[in-house]
Every structure is written in structure tokens, then in C-alpha cells.
Amino acid sequence: MKIAIYPGSFDPITNGHLSVIRRAAKLFDEVLVVVMINHKKPVGCFSYEERMELIKRCTKDIPNVKVDYYAGLLADYAREKDATAIVKGLRAVSDFEHEFQQALTNKELNPDVETVFVTAGADYMYLSSSIVKQVCQFGGDVSKFVPPEVYEDIVKGIKKKG
Ligand code: ADP
């Protein structure tokens, strides 16, 4: 069974993330979408539980997707889950350098896992969670940026945080 891990902050999930998840689900038997917990990073807009719940809600129609969280090294999580691949989304060239460094580090730490780069659909190439938060905080319409089933809760969550 080919298991892929798709790690990220998902604060919150966007249509860009969902597009990568759907593509990955076609390539692998199982995709584990993993909210990575980084205790050193300042608290995000959504709690880890909220992020997981939002992801679960908009992936419930994809039977081979599971949602999890992890607070350690991705290479160790991959070993624990016996994963074949780590899926990363690429937007622009600007993502590449950092992702390339991460991929080589993960390969060093866990030679059994390959990093696979997947692009989102062309419509979502520019999209990030930060863009969603910025636009929403200034009262802009983010309905095209996030999945419809989580739109209201995302807007509420961002506005609550101020
Ligand atoms: P962000 O906060 O920038 O959206 P995350 O850490 O949540 O980033 O992203 C997790 C992964 O998803 C990363 O590999 C990131 O490059 C990828 N990703 C995020 N948005 C997109 C998008 N619009 N298109 C392609 N990949 C994306």
C-alpha cells in the first residue's frame, strides 16, 4: 500500500491545499494530511483541532484521505506510518528553494521516503493561508479562496482573532 503524507500548517485550509490533496489522492492509496505542530511558531489563527476539523469537513468525499497531527520530525512520522512519499505543493519558484532544502534534509533523515512535488490547479497558484487571512481581515471576499463547506467558519475564525 502506497501511503503519502501531505504536511503543512493549514491555518486555515485553502482551495490550493484542497487541489493538492485531490491530486495526491489519485496518485497514492492513502493520503495522510498532517497538521504539523510547531511549538516555536507563534500561535496561528486557528487551533490545531480547528484546523483538523476544517480539513476533515472538506475532504470527507475523498475516501482515501485521513487527517492527523504531529509534533515532531516529519522524517520520523514518515517512518512511523511506513510512508512512501511526502507530498509538497509548489506555487512559484519562490517556494522551490526552501522545499528543495527540506526534501534533501528529509531524504538524509529517512532515505526510504521520497518527496513528490505537486502543483495546485492554475487558478490557485497564487493562493496561501496568509493571503486568505489578510484579505478577510480587511473585509474582502474570500469565498473563491476556500472550500464552500468551511467558508463561514473560516471567516468567523479570522474575524474573531482580529
Ligand atoms: P501556506 O500557509 O503557505 O498556505 P502550508 O504550510 O499550510 O502553507 O502549506 C502546506 C503545503 O501546501 C506546502 O507544501 C505549500 O507549498 C503547499 N501549498 C499551499 N498553498 C498552495 C497552493 N496554492 N498551490 C500549491 N501548493 C500550495
Side-chain angles (χ1 to χ4, degrees):
M1 173 140 127
K2 295 214 181 300
I3 298 174
I5 298 168
Y6 178 39
S9 332
F10 304 104
D11 184 40
I13 185 162
T14 69
N15 282 333
H17 294 130
L18 189 57
S19 171
V20 171
I21 294 170
R22 288 195 187 284
R23 282 158 199 250
K26 286 185 193 153
L27 297 172
F28 297 95
D29 298 314
E30 187 171 286
V31 177
L32 296 169
V33 182
V34 186
V35 177
M36 295 300 289
I37 299 180
N38 184 344
H39 294 296
K40 289 213 176 97
K41 263 197 181 172
V43 188
C45 203
F46 294 88
S47 72
Y48 296 115
E49 291 76 19
E50 285 170 333
R51 296 179 206 185
M52 287 176 66
E53 195 280 319
L54 294 170
I55 303 169
K56 277 183 190 160
R57 223 189 301 161
C58 42
T59 56
K60 64 175 187 300
D61 65 314
I62 323 171
N64 57 336
V65 168
K66 283 189 186 153
V67 184
D68 199 3
Y69 70 96
Y70 193 67
L73 273 178
L74 185 58
D76 291 338
Y77 181 80
R79 196 172 290 117
E80 224 175 79
K81 297 292 173 185
D82 207 10
T84 306
I86 293 169
V87 169
K88 289 299 192 92
L90 276 187
R91 278 164 289 206
V93 187
S94 52
D95 276 345
F96 182 75
E97 202 171 322
H98 175 71
E99 294 296 356
F100 186 59
Q101 198 179 19
Q102 294 264 316
L104 293 178
T105 308
N106 284 327
K107 188 77 190 161
E108 197 59 40
L109 295 174
N110 181 350
D112 296 331
V113 74
E114 296 296 334
T115 297
V116 174
F117 293 102
V118 174
T119 59
D123 291 353
Y124 303 126
M125 285 298 279
Y126 61 93
L127 202 51
S128 69
S129 299
S130 320
I131 290 278
V132 170
K133 286 181 275 194
Q134 265 174 34
V135 172
C136 190
Q137 271 157 358
F138 288 104
D141 178 12
V142 294
S143 59
K144 288 203 182 103
F145 300 163
V146 299
E149 51 276 73
V150 291
Y151 165 73
E152 276 184 26
D153 285 338
I154 286 180
V155 171
K156 250 190 252 163
I158 296 172
K159 291 205 165 144
K160 198 168 89 190
K161 197 84 186 180

